Amino acid sequence: MQRIFEIDPWKVITHTFDQKSKRLQESMTSIGNEYMGMRGMFEEQYSGDTHKGIYLGGVWFPDKTRVGWWKNGYPEYFGKVINAVDFVSLDIKLNGQSIDLAKDKFSDFELCLDMKTGILSRKFVIQRADCQVAVTAQRFVSIAQKQLYANHLEFKNLSAQPVSLEIDSKIDADVFNEDANYDEQFWLVQAKRSDLTSGVLVAKTKPNNFGTPEFTTEMQMSHQTSLQAVPAVESEKAVVNRFIGKLMPQTDKAFEKRVIVTTSRDYATSMAMDQATQQLTDQILQKSFVELKAAQETAWAKRWEMSDVAIQGDVAAQQGIRFNLFQLFSTYYGEDARLNIGPKGFTGEKYGGATYWDTEAFAVPLYLALADPQVTHNLLEYRYKQLPGAYHNAQQQGLKGALFPMVTFNGIECHNEWEITFEEIHRNGTIAYAIFNYTRYTGDHEYETHEGFNVLTGIARFWADRVHYSKRKQCYMIHGVTGPNEYENNVNNNWYTNLLAKWVLNYTNQVAQRVDPTKLKELNLTDQERRKWHEIADNMYLPADKELGIFVQNDDYLDKDLTLVKDLPQDQLPLNQHWSWDRILRSPYIKQADVLQGIYYFIDDFTQEQKERNFDFYEPLTVHESSLSPSIHAILAADLHKEAKAVEMYQRTARLDLDNYNNDTKDGLHITSMTGSWLAIVQGFAGMRVRQGKLHFDPFTPKNWDGYRFHVNFRGRLLKVTVNKQATKIELLKGEPITIELHDRQVALTLKEAK
Amino acid sequence: MQRIFEIDPWKVITHTFDQKSKRLQESMTSIGNEYMGMRGMFEEQYSGDTHKGIYLGGVWFPDKTRVGWWKNGYPEYFGKVINAVDFVSLDIKLNGQSIDLAKDKFSDFELCLDMKTGILSRKFVIQRADCQVAVTAQRFVSIAQKQLYANHLEFKNLSAQPVSLEIDSKIDADVFNEDANYDEQFWLVQAKRSDLTSGVLVAKTKPNNFGTPEFTTEMQMSHQTSLQAVPAVESEKAVVNRFIGKLMPQTDKAFEKRVIVTTSRDYATSMAMDQATQQLTDQILQKSFVELKAAQETAWAKRWEMSDVAIQGDVAAQQGIRFNLFQLFSTYYGEDARLNIGPKGFTGEKYGGATYWDTEAFAVPLYLALADPQVTHNLLEYRYKQLPGAYHNAQQQGLKGALFPMVTFNGIECHNEWEITFEEIHRNGTIAYAIFNYTRYTGDHEYETHEGFNVLTGIARFWADRVHYSKRKQCYMIHGVTGPNEYENNVNNNWYTNLLAKWVLNYTNQVAQRVDPTKLKELNLTDQERRKWHEIADNMYLPADKELGIFVQNDDYLDKDLTLVKDLPQDQLPLNQHWSWDRILRSPYIKQADVLQGIYYFIDDFTQEQKERNFDFYEPLTVHESSLSPSIHAILAADLHKEAKAVEMYQRTARLDLDNYNNDTKDGLHITSMTGSWLAIVQGFAGMRVRQGKLHFDPFTPKNWDGYRFHVNFRGRLLKVTVNKQATKIELLKGEPITIELHDRQVALTLKEAK
């Protein structure tokens, strides 16, 4: 645990700057608007260790990096998020010497990400022998105008002498990825032009041999300042504008950079992109920085109005949930149906690709409750559109049906570790589960029986081909998988995977009864095939241990040395930073909910005793080293009225990055798991479920909280739920009257205004 | 199967040239002398698909190529064989146009690798409108003078008009590896100098961040020809000598290139290397090509005298065994104790590193019988010298003791697939077994109780830490391994691995009784630790199935779909070219002997029924897609008097590359498995064993052979064994009288001359 920012309900703020924590600071102060985003690196030169990262949604490169012994079915390329052309960097000189907080003496430092508005600001006073200058900087990527990045700086001379100020403002294609092997670069400059106060750079991703799209990006910078524009020396890969001026004692000067970023994802031709870029630049130039900022503030206020979770009596927890929602919405707010929710968002490069099962498993429930149903519908459609890729993936493995990828940009598997891509196939169950979840929550069967049914059929066909029949044990088995617990690889009969496979076959068969016969025909789905699905589902092996009364995570698991986590030397944790991969794989330690993930999905289908026995067996063996782990445990613990455990788990998920729990936040934030704190509060503490089309709550208030309040959208209604130790109040803020269940009581809700 | 060369007892010869098989042709006509070697690419320009490959023993590069998600314990670099500076290429022009067999019309083609002498020769007649020229080329790397490459060409003008001839002879550092990801290059030119008829190029491997050695190589070329030397245009990375002349009708001209290749492996300073290179060049210039060739022929004749296996009545089989011995000795003949036996030798780049467990498992028994004991001793010493690396490898995995690497140049693991490097730990058992095997064969306990005991102790300590105790099953287990059958990964309780671990603990304990007490002290080996080894060995889990009467390959294996190989659609074979890795891993199909490898190692410790039951169960599930597979099966089949099966297996190993059985010989030859045909004849057909210090034979003659004859060295004696359908004759050619066993009869042998 490492906390470098102060506790504050709405701000990520610090008044100290530690060079050793620079990357962590950068991750924590990332900003984004779904379309683009960036880490919190300083605008000006910084000679210390730093990770400059700017990323554009949907822009990637298929990297050929073969090592080891290639085998049939391996994905041809490793799809990676690439660092965008750098439109942020400035070089700011005072009396001819660059400001560089790694070298300069400075005072009055403040760094603040305002989560209410999405504006990142910074203040410091440069203390040099020849000058003393106060600098303030603000920047944001606009959620009101997605192509806009705005950066405003002020310089105040606190010295008795005049100070010369010189700023080089750049758009620079000379960028690298952190994970490059040979310092390879991905952007080729296509065009550059500049005048004294503005510049344009067009760059294209270098050609690739895999037939995936090449991307072009155009960036136009413009400036507002009373400094004087003078000719600048440009390099081959950058456009530069230079501004100079004299800061008289006790006076200040402002400098503002605006950049419009467009990409070929939105424009069919370079001419159209040129025109749009110019037009957007013209538009924003008609507005002041204050106006641009106001639009940003208004847009964020609207988001918070719908989604804010208020916690009384625990500011740290309050900051945690807001930070998570802020970063999640900065990554994805459902505005571009071609995008998805990358696990690192715009905060780092780790994990390569854009889309993981995290979306369906952890993000869908949140977006269902906090956004218009169309947003979740878009997430489902995203997979439907990638169904041809999923068929391709299954075919690559010699299997029928559709296998949705573990990591992808385009539907084709683009990660390269067989134990993940070939074996972590439980993801395919979760793609189906999200359709079920959407349908259950919205009550809308339209998707499930149309596009959704194509997806379900593809997935069911995959499972029906992926099982094998064991003559010895007289049942269907699934060998060679990796469960959600990635601390085991290539196991046999992972209970969770087998459960999901069985469930998909049954669910698809059920939905088949409701779809139009022409759809069955179109999909060539015969009664014979459906009977086979039944037979497999009915005879699926689900490992269990009678003596212990538990489901068994996978074959041989109980043969391990089952020392509990609490009995390990605590300096060995987190295991993934202290143990070799070999040792981890052989250990019984569970990275994230595995059997318990299955119990979570179908929580109403198990007896309290089943849930309790499994929780009590597996949780003490779980190290929660995936950021996706604590939330599921919080929900189950709450369900089992283990309130202390639920709160402990909530605390790990809520401030995972704020407190750098897993000691890896410097690589970027754990975006998709940021849904976890919301799930823990709403599905955990408040016990929200949907049962037979009815919303159900069973809330409690954690001991150290006074109370909490949240909103949910449900079937055209907006509900406000207020919980404290005395009572739970549920109000209908919008929509038709509705009856919900509270602690097994039926409560009829009508609009207050209607009363 | 694809046979592109003719059947011949001593030659790899063809009179046709098919561009589509160029790479296969190149692999098959590789030559080497342990110090250096090369594929059979043409000297002159060739614009078609080709794989130029020249390699220097012990010269490599640590490549940083990270993809996927790095985990603790992963090797830092991927060690790879790098293509050497090209000293072979010529550009030969007739009337100003380069000879290029991909484009030129030609006749009378012959390509011949003479295995008796190690000389590669080629003939063809260029048929152009403006000329008709017969070309002959011969080349070899000398086993009499390891630094020497010699290339002799003759050109005869068959036309009625004069033909102009121009030859550019090069040393060129502008080379790439086949497996490069980004066309990265590894050689930096350090120095170049040339006069009209000779040239020198010094190149150094580029710096690396891993602290492994950088290598410098110096190459000096000289020429003998009546052609006229003229100034040549040189490029930045190459030295070139140009020769021109006029070929009058019906006359010929000869051209000869000699290259001396030295490396920093042999010289401490560049000055010493310079001097040596010049001195060696001066020496060879005093000899004619005929003399240089004669030395080569004499040296090979000596090797064959000791090792030739003669087969009567089957020329294809005869060619097979000679090809294998020829290529094996071209790769390694025990002359440099710092080298080992790479699985592709000098014939390709696949598999990266230099040293595999193949050496101990498959090559040691052959070198024990065919070479001076010192050669095998060197192979053992090689591991002893790398013991610190083995301790490092174990430590990387958080384990005690020593783990010898799967792939290495320097003792440090340098391959990068966890399922291989972390899990295929059975190799550690074989390193110990080789010590046992050497001791059993030679009767010399010196190594076993001195350096060898350090190795054994390191390995025993590794196993003692790598096991875990299963409370549930009340025994020691080894989870998370990959057995010799690499078609399963990350399995639990691989019988072979567990057997070897148990055996190592017992063997080390036995040897401990014989070593000097000071050695025990030096190794800090206490009675307590030795008791622990006993306890583990006594309680090691060795999976078995009583009903089937077999040892079980690993946990869960019998749950698979156990369809036999013969019942698979035959167009699916080889599986590794038709099935995805996922499908292969889940299948029951065995790549190479696994349980049967264990039975082979300890063949006298099992009952005939045990051997038979296991062979009959596992062989029908084995696809033999490792080149290391058929030989072990041939030996066991012979042991079980399944003669037809033994012969079938022999045929797969003997002509594996000659007939391109696995359809991958274009990537290079299967060098280490070339021991297999010899093992199949000697340990299989002839039933050679060492029992209680006595050599034992139990020979039979395959049906379609008339007979066979081979030599073995054993404890200072040279024996000649002649087998045919009537009788077996064993003669003592050298050494003291000895008693051997033939079909359970004691036979006293004395020197013929002594009679």
Side-chain angles (χ1 to χ4, degrees), chain A residues 63-69 71-74 78 80 179-182 184 206 350-352 356 396-399 407 415-420 422-423 465-473 477 479-480 486 488-490 492-493 545 548 555-556 558-561 575-583 585-586, chain B residues 63-69 71-74 78 80 179-182 184 206 350-352 356 396-399 407 415-420 422-423 465-473 477 479-480 486 488-490 492-493 545 548 555-556 558-561 575-583 585-586:
Chain A
D63 203 11
K64 172 194 170 197
T65 325
R66 282 194 185 166
V67 281
W69 301 326
K71 284 122 186 169
N72 283 333
Y74 275 18
F78 180 76
K80 61 208 270 183
D179 60 356
N181 278 298
Y182 296 100
E184 61 275 15
K206 66 175 190 182
K350 210 177 161 186
Y351 299 138
Y356 286 64
Q396 283 288 99
Q397 300 192 19
L399 290 165
V407 181
H415 189 62
N416 63 343
E417 290 173 302
W418 65 268
E419 65 273 22
I420 302 294
F422 290 9
E423 301 212 328
D465 199 32
R466 183 61 166 74
V467 301
H468 76 273
Y469 189 74
S470 166
K471 281 193 190 153
R472 194 180 174 82
K473 296 260 174 73
M477 291 188 165
H479 272 194
E486 288 170 325
E488 291 187 291
N489 283 165
N490 196 38
N492 295 328
N493 294 311
D545 187 278
L548 295 167
D555 291 349
D556 311 345
L558 296 176
D559 284 344
K560 294 190 171 202
D561 172 353
L575 296 182
N576 64 17
Q577 292 178 17
H578 294 89
W579 283 16
S580 74
W581 188 232
D582 163 64
R583 197 164 171 193
L585 287 177
R586 291 185 285 117
Chain B
D63 203 10
K64 171 193 169 197
T65 325
R66 283 194 185 166
V67 282
W69 301 326
K71 284 123 186 169
N72 284 332
Y74 275 19
F78 180 77
K80 61 208 273 182
D179 61 357
N181 278 299
Y182 297 100
E184 63 274 15
K206 66 175 189 181
K350 212 177 160 184
Y351 301 137
Y356 287 63
Q396 282 289 99
Q397 300 192 21
L399 290 164
V407 181
H415 189 61
N416 64 342
E417 291 172 303
W418 64 268
E419 65 273 22
I420 302 293
F422 289 10
E423 301 213 328
D465 199 31
R466 183 60 167 75
V467 301
H468 77 272
Y469 189 73
S470 167
K471 282 195 189 151
R472 194 179 174 82
K473 297 259 174 73
M477 291 188 164
H479 272 194
E486 289 171 326
E488 291 187 290
N489 283 165
N490 195 38
N492 295 329
N493 294 310
D545 187 279
L548 295 168
D555 290 349
D556 312 345
L558 296 176
D559 284 342
K560 294 190 171 201
D561 172 355
L575 296 182
N576 64 17
Q577 291 178 19
H578 294 90
W579 283 15
S580 75
W581 188 232
D582 163 64
R583 197 164 171 193
L585 287 178
R586 291 185 285 118

Side-chain angles (χ1 to χ4, degrees), chain A residues 25 53 56 82 122 138 170 217 265 348 373 404 410-411 432 486 505 579 581 598 700-701:
Chain A
Q25 168 259 301
L56 305 177
I82 53 173
R122 190 159 47 108
Q138 292 178 76
K170 301 178 198 173
T217 178
R265 291 180 63 249
F404 283 89
N410 57 358
E486 288 170 325
L505 293 170
W579 283 16
W581 188 232
F700 76 95
T701 303

Side-chain angles (χ1 to χ4, degrees), chain A residues 247-358:
Chain A
L247 283 174
M248 299 310 289
Q250 302 306 317
T251 65
D252 50 25
K253 295 250 182 215
F255 174 82
E256 208 188 304
K257 178 181 192 174
R258 297 170 185 184
V259 184
I260 288 294
V261 177
T262 54
T263 81
S264 55
R265 291 180 63 249
D266 291 325
Y267 302 98
T269 66
S270 57
M271 199 189 295
M273 189 155 70
D274 266 358
Q275 282 172 356
T277 309
Q278 188 58 55
Q279 209 169 14
L280 288 164
T281 301
D282 293 345
Q283 281 169 21
I284 56 152
L285 285 178
Q286 289 163 18
K287 293 185 183 162
S288 70
F289 184 75
V290 172
E291 285 169 315
L292 295 172
K293 211 170 118 177
Q296 164 85 345
E297 287 164 354
T298 307
W300 268 105
K302 214 176 135 199
R303 290 184 175 186
W304 285 117
E305 199 185 303
M306 295 278 290
S307 62
D308 186 33
V309 177
I311 295 172
Q312 287 89 40
D314 187 340
V315 183
Q318 176 67 76
Q319 186 181 31
I321 181 77
R322 287 204 177 117
F323 182 67
N324 293 347
L325 291 174
F326 173 79
Q327 288 293 353
L328 199 56
F329 293 161
S330 297
T331 304
Y332 186 78
Y333 204 67
E335 292 178 342
D336 183 340
R338 299 166 301 170
L339 297 178
N340 208 288
I341 312 165
K344 290 261 164 261
F346 301 109
T347 74
E349 291 153 22
K350 210 177 161 186
Y351 299 138
T355 309
Y356 286 64
W357 72 291
D358 302 25

Side-chain angles (χ1 to χ4, degrees), chain B residues 268-418:
Chain B
T269 66
S270 56
M271 199 190 293
M273 189 156 70
D274 266 358
Q275 281 173 356
T277 309
Q278 188 58 55
Q279 209 169 15
L280 289 164
T281 301
D282 294 344
Q283 280 170 20
I284 56 153
L285 285 178
Q286 288 163 19
K287 294 184 183 164
S288 71
F289 184 75
V290 172
E291 284 169 316
L292 295 173
K293 212 169 117 175
Q296 165 85 345
E297 288 165 353
T298 307
W300 268 104
K302 212 174 136 200
R303 290 184 176 186
W304 285 117
E305 199 184 302
M306 294 278 289
S307 61
D308 186 34
V309 177
I311 295 172
Q312 287 88 40
D314 187 340
V315 183
Q318 175 67 75
Q319 187 181 30
I321 181 76
R322 286 203 178 117
F323 182 68
N324 293 346
L325 291 174
F326 173 79
Q327 289 293 353
L328 199 58
F329 293 161
S330 297
T331 304
Y332 186 79
Y333 204 67
E335 293 179 341
D336 184 339
R338 298 166 302 171
L339 298 177
N340 208 288
I341 312 165
K344 291 261 164 260
F346 302 109
T347 74
E349 291 153 21
K350 212 177 160 184
Y351 301 137
T355 310
Y356 287 63
W357 71 291
D358 302 25
T359 295
E360 279 76 10
F362 301 96
V364 155
L366 179 145
Y367 284 98
L368 274 173
L370 294 188
D372 190 274
Q374 188 57 40
V375 171
T376 311
H377 199 277
N378 281 352
L379 288 172
L380 301 185
E381 282 274 351
Y382 178 92
R383 298 292 191 176
Y384 171 70
K385 284 180 187 145
Q386 295 189 350
L387 191 53
Y391 271 93
H392 169 88
N393 298 331
Q395 199 176 27
Q396 282 289 99
Q397 300 192 21
L399 290 164
K400 291 177 190 147
L403 173 60
F404 284 90
M406 191 64 195
V407 181
T408 195
F409 290 90
N410 56 359
I412 307 284
E413 180 62 66
C414 75
H415 189 61
N416 64 342
E417 291 172 303
W418 64 268

Side-chain angles (χ1 to χ4, degrees), chain B residues 719-739:
Chain B
L719 303 177
K720 179 177 174 188
V721 181
T722 309
V723 183
N724 61 35
K725 284 169 180 158
Q726 289 71 50
T728 297
K729 190 166 97 183
I730 304 182
E731 299 160 89
L732 181 65
L733 302 186
K734 273 188 203 162
E736 298 293 304
I738 186 171
T739 299

